[in-house]
């Protein structure tokens, strides 16, 4: 208490110090004292009230405890009196045993008298019940069956109460009512038959289905009552519990399974589309059945049966089992696609479980998948493997078919622009399109995988295509008369390359909506390179065909016959123009390159004729005449290739100017200016070599040995600076085995 007093004093000192910090606050001391006095009085009043309340509560509790003690004493006294009375009445109870036995017998006899009418009429009731079952009056039949079972169960229960060990009497009663179990089984068969056809019955005669459900509900109530009595008496009649509700759901489940399995009407041997037909029938049946169940069957069953939810679960499980069985079969590629499309897309679409008529009871977002991810993955793997083999086989067959067309006596077809083509690109990419469209129905991921596969196989196919085009060319060179339309089909092969390139780009653009697959574009350069190589070799083989026909006329160039007035260049121009009238059927990218290459080859052969020293001019007049002829022929060739290159926007003069430049060297009349002219030629064409200059000077026929030597040596000392845009041409021209020393002689 002293410690508490000290704390109270210290607190008071702090409060007073807080209130009297300024001199002017001394005037308010009396006011502060009155305020604190009021607070103290208020606190004391509350404490007194609280203490008084606690005291009242304690007083009440003590009073109640006192009353409880008195009550316990009274109960104790009463129990002692009861115990005393019970001990005194034991002898009296034992003397009433005979009365007790009489009461039991009376009860049994009363039950027997009560059921006497039923006992004597059992055979008649059995017959009536049997007739009612056969007539389909199931409710009346069940009512009579219940009467029979009630009589049997009552008698057996009384016998069990009197003497549970007397099996002879129990067997006698059971035997007398033996037909009852048979009637129950017969009635159950009729119920199960109705339930098996419940989806039909509910539309034609819903009353019959309601009757069946009412019978099952009655039996469920009897089962529950008997099970409750069993807990008290341990007695249960024969055949109980029947569990007809459980059996009803088992029957419905078996019916659903049978309905799903029974929809397969065909096999692969009888119909290639057997699986598509099977799945479509399943879709239609399941959708129709669930709509009927939702709209009609739920009205025939009690709500706690949750008949629609249970039927939905049964159908889903039956479908899952059936899909797993189908997945385990040795399916072909198109069948795998049909199955996966149905499982992954159709099942949850508006055509089936997502149908508006099933909403909101069916939520497709919570439905379990019909096939596990592992099974789906295995099917996709099998599909990709089979598809790979099929694509390889299809491409091989398409190429073989195309090769057969190459040897036909008729020209290939032309497209709307007049370009020759074969059906190969259309067949190949139609096949790719079909497989990609099918894959897109399953998933975006599979579509991408199939596109990658198609492009990979396309790469391999183009390599084979290149080999076959080369073989086609070699076969033609062995006999140029065959095939009859070699040029036209080689043009078609070249055009196919451009079609392939365009189709590949189109395919990627159509089936790669986003740029997520960066690696997809890596295949394009490789395929473009192969296609360009095929087209380049095809163009080369066509030009080779041209130059085989020009060989005789090219050999006349720069000969004495040519100088005297040969029409070799005229024939060359006519021949080239004639061939290029067929080459007009080549698509523009390749025709443009081919025209440039033809010009280069013609000029190259012309220059090669110059360097082969077929003629050596004997006089200035011959040199002048030969040079002028070369200029005229260069103009003639320039005109030809301008005509052929029309529309390309290309310079067709470059190579022909080389002939003019050579003619200028030959035409020169003053030998002292020869070095200057040759040096100009070398600066313009830096790939020209010593042997070329030697052959050119030898062709002039008027250049001394010393002058030739001086020109060559001087040119060797002053290397020229090549034009970065210059395309070498002389490096491809080989001077015949005649070294420079011999040329100088």
């Amino acid at each position: 208490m002293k410690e508490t007093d000290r704390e109270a004093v210290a607190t008071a000192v702090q409060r007073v110090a807080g209130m009297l910090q300024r001199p002017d606050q001394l005037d308010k001391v009396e006011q502060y004292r009155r305020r604190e006095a009021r607070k103290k009085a208020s606190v004391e009043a509350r404490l007194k009230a609280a203490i008084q309340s606690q005291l009242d509560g304690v007083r009440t509790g003590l009073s109640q405890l006192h009353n409880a003690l008195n009550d316990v004493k009274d109960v104790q006294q009463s129990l002692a009196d009861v115990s005393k009375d019970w001990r005194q009445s034991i002898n009296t109870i034992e003397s009433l045993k005979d009365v007790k036995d009489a009461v039991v017998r009376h009860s049994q006899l009363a039950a027997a008298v009560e059921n006497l009418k039923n006992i004597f009429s059992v055979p008649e009731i059995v017959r009536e019940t049997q007739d009612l079952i056969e007539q389909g009056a199931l409710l009346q039949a069940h009512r009579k069956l219940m009467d029979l079972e009630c009589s049997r169960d009552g008698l057996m229960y009384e016998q069990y109460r009197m003497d549970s060990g007397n099996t002879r009497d129990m067997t006698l009663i059971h035997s007398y009512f033996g037909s009852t179990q048979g009637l129950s089984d017969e009635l159950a068969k009729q119920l199960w038959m109705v339930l098996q056809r419940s989806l039909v019955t509910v539309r034609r005669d819903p009353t019959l289905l309601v009757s069946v459900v009412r019978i099952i509900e009655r039996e469920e109530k009897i089962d529950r009552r008997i099970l409750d009595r069993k807990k008290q008496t341990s007695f249960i009649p024969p055949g109980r519990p029947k569990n007809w509700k459980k059996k009803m759901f088992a029957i419905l489940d078996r019916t659903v399974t049978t309905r799903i399995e029974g929809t397969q009407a065909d096999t692969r041997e009888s119909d290639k589309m057997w699986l598509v037909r099977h799945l479509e029938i399943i879709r239609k049946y399941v959708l129709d059945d669930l709509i009927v169940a939702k709209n009609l069957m739920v009205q025939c069953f009690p709500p706690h049966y949750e008949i629609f939810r249970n039927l939905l679960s049964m159908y889903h499980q039956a479908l899952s089992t059936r899909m797993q069985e189908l997945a385990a079969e040795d399916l072909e590629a198109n069948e795998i696609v049909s199955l996966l499309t149905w499982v992954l897309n159709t099942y949850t679409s508006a055509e089936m479980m997502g149908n508006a008529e099933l909403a909101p009871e069916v939520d497709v977002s919570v439905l379990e998948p019909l096939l596990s991810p592992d099974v789906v993955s295995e099917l996709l793997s099998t599909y990709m493997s089979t598809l790979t083999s099929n694509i390889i086989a299809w491409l091989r067959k398409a190429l073989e078919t195309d090769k057969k067309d190459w040897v036909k006596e008729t020209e290939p077809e032309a497209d709307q622009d007049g370009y020759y083509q074969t059906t190969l690109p259309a067949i190949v990419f139609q096949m790719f399109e079909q497989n990609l469209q099918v894959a897109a129905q399953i998933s975006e991921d599979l579509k991408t995988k199939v596109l990658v596969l198609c492009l990979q196989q396309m790469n391999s196919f183009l390599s084979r295509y290149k080999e076959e085009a080369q073989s086609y060319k070699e076969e033609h060179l062995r006999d140029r008369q065959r095939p009859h339309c070699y040029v036209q089909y080689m043009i078609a092969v070249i055009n196919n390359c451009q079609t392939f390139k365009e189709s590949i780009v189109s395919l990627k653009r159509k089936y790669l909506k986003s740029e997520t697959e960066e690696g997809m574009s890596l295949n394009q350069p490789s395929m473009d390179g192969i296609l360009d190589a095929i087209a380049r070799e095809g163009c080369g083989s066509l030009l080779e065909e041209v130059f085989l026909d020009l060989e005789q006329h090219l050999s006349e160039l720069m000969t004495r016959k040519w100088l005297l007035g040969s029409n070799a260049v005229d024939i060359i121009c006519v021949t080239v123009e004639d061939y290029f009238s067929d080459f007009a059927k080549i698509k523009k990218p390749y025709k443009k390159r081919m025209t440039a290459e033809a010009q280069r080859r013609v000029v190259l052969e012309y220059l090669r004729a110059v360097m082969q020293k077929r003629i050596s001019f004997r006089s200035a007049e011959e040199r002048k005449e030969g040079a002028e002829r070369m200029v005229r022929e260069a103009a003639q060739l320039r005109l030809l290739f301008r005509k052929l290159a029309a529309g390309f926007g290309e310079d067709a003069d470059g190579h022909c100017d080389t002939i003019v430049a050579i003619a200028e060297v030959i035409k020169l009349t003053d030998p002292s200016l020869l070095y200057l002219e040759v040096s100009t030629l070398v600066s313009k064409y830096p790939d020209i070599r010593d042997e070329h200059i030697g052959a050119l000077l030898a062709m002039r026929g008027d250049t001394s040995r010393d002058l030739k030597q001086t020109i060559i040596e001087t040119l060797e000392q002053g290397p020229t600076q090549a034009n970065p845009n210059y395309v070498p041409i002389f490096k491809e021209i080989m001077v015949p085995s005649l070294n420079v020393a011999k040329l100088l002689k």
Side-chain angles (χ1 to χ4, degrees), residues 497-548:
C497 294
Q498 181 64 22
T499 305
F500 276 129
K501 290 172 75 172
E502 294 169 355
S503 299
I504 291 169
V505 171
S506 174
L507 202 66
K508 286 186 175 183
R509 187 182 299 115
K510 181 175 181 180
Y511 289 100
L512 285 180
K513 302 297 183 185
S514 64
E515 295 299 326
T516 53
E517 295 289 340
E518 293 294 337
M520 292 303 299
S521 59
L522 298 178
N523 290 323
Q524 187 70 26
S526 175
M527 284 186 281
D528 283 354
I530 297 174
L531 289 166
D532 285 340
I534 296 171
R536 186 167 55 251
E537 290 179 7
C539 291
S541 66
L542 292 177
L543 288 178
E544 192 172 342
E545 190 78 5
V546 175
F547 282 92
L548 284 173

Side-chain angles (χ1 to χ4, degrees), residues 418-430:
Y419 298 119
Y420 284 139
Q421 64 176 7
T422 66
T423 58
L424 182 62
I427 292 173
V428 169
F429 282 93
Q430 182 181 13

Side-chain angles (χ1 to χ4, degrees), residues 268 272-276 331-341 383 386 390 435 438:
R268 184 182 295 119
K272 290 295 183 183
M273 300 297 289
W274 68 276
L275 184 57
V276 174
L331 298 177
E332 297 177 355
N334 62 316
E335 294 170 350
I336 292 175
V337 168
S338 299
L339 180 62
L340 289 177
T341 302
Y383 172 71
T386 306
N390 289 346
N435 284 287
V438 166

Side-chain angles (χ1 to χ4, degrees), residues 82-100:
V82 170
S83 178
K84 181 180 177 182
D85 293 341
W86 176 73
R87 288 191 185 94
Q88 293 176 353
S89 63
I90 289 176
N91 295 332
T92 306
I93 293 173
E94 290 179 353
S95 65
L96 293 175
K97 185 176 185 301
D98 294 339
V99 176
K100 178 182 176 182

Side-chain angles (χ1 to χ4, degrees), residues 172-453:
L172 179 63
I173 296 172
H174 187 271
S175 175
Y176 186 75
F177 286 91
S179 301
T180 305
Q181 187 61 44
L183 289 174
S184 178
D185 294 341
E186 185 65 28
L187 178 62
K189 288 181 182 179
Q190 296 298 319
L191 299 182
W192 308 151
M193 287 176 61
V194 173
L195 287 171
Q196 287 171 356
R197 304 182 69 254
S198 57
L199 290 166
V200 177
T201 304
V202 75
R203 282 179 279 196
R204 295 181 179 176
D205 187 7
T207 306
L208 179 58
L209 183 59
V210 172
S211 299
V212 170
V213 176
R214 287 179 62 189
I215 291 170
I216 293 172
E217 267 295 279
R218 287 177 184 172
E219 290 294 337
E220 285 294 299
K221 290 179 181 178
I222 295 172
D223 281 348
R224 287 194 296 271
R225 187 171 66 249
I226 288 176
L227 290 174
D228 289 341
R229 187 173 66 181
K230 179 187 175 184
K231 295 176 182 178
Q232 300 173 359
T233 64
S234 300
F235 172 76
I236 186 166
R240 291 289 178 180
K242 291 184 179 181
N243 293 320
W244 276 9
K245 180 180 177 182
K246 182 178 179 181
K247 290 179 182 178
M248 176 195 76
F249 282 113
I251 291 295
L252 289 174
D253 189 38
R254 191 160 59 248
T255 302
V256 168
T257 302
T258 303
R259 184 161 175 78
I260 297 298
E261 293 175 348
T263 54
Q264 182 175 344
D266 303 296
T267 61
R268 184 182 295 119
E269 290 72 20
S270 61
D271 186 355
K272 290 295 183 183
M273 300 297 289
W274 68 276
L275 184 57
V276 174
R277 193 184 306 279
H278 180 38
L279 294 174
E280 177 57 21
I281 293 173
I282 288 177
R283 184 199 67 78
K284 187 176 184 304
Y285 280 10
V286 171
L287 179 59
D288 290 347
D289 291 354
L290 289 177
I291 290 174
V292 170
K294 177 178 178 289
N295 296 328
L296 300 177
M297 283 189 69
V298 292
Q299 302 175 21
C300 301
F301 288 79
H304 65 273
Y305 274 52
E306 295 184 316
I307 189 64
F308 181 75
R309 185 183 65 79
N310 282 296
L311 278 175
L312 177 63
S313 177
M314 292 174 193
Y315 273 101
H316 182 79
Q317 185 58 44
L319 287 172
S320 179
T321 302
R322 183 55 182 158
M323 295 305 113
Q324 291 173 16
E325 292 172 354
L326 291 172
E329 295 186 16
D330 187 16
L331 298 177
E332 297 177 355
N334 62 316
E335 294 170 350
I336 292 175
V337 168
S338 299
L339 180 62
L340 289 177
T341 302
W342 198 92
V343 168
L344 300 178
N345 298 326
T346 304
Y347 183 63
T348 55
S349 70
E351 297 178 355
M352 201 170 175
M353 292 302 187
N355 192 284
E357 293 192 51
L358 297 179
E361 284 78 358
V362 179
D363 184 359
V364 294
S365 64
V366 300
L367 289 175
E368 293 292 326
L370 293 177
L371 293 177
S372 67
D374 291 340
V375 175
V376 173
S377 178
E378 184 178 351
L379 284 173
L380 289 175
S381 177
T382 304
Y383 172 71
M384 290 300 293
S385 176
T386 306
L387 182 62
T388 301
S389 303
N390 289 346
I391 288 178
I392 292 173
W394 291 333
L395 290 174
R396 184 181 295 112
K397 183 177 180 181
L399 184 54
E400 290 299 324
T401 304
D402 205 55
K403 281 170 56 183
K404 292 177 182 177
D405 291 342
W406 295 354
V407 296
K408 286 183 177 179
E409 297 292 323
T410 56
E411 293 183 355
E413 295 180 357
D415 63 12
Q416 66 271 18
D417 297 320
Y419 298 119
Y420 284 139
Q421 64 176 7
T422 66
T423 58
L424 182 62
I427 292 173
V428 169
F429 282 93
Q430 182 181 13
M431 176 188 66
F432 287 171
E433 280 273 357
Q434 290 173 351
N435 284 287
L436 284 166
Q437 289 172 3
V438 166
Q441 295 175 4
I442 299 176
S443 69
E444 288 295 314
D445 181 59
L446 180 63
K447 180 191 72 174
T448 303
K449 289 181 179 178
V450 171
L451 179 57
V452 172
L453 173 63

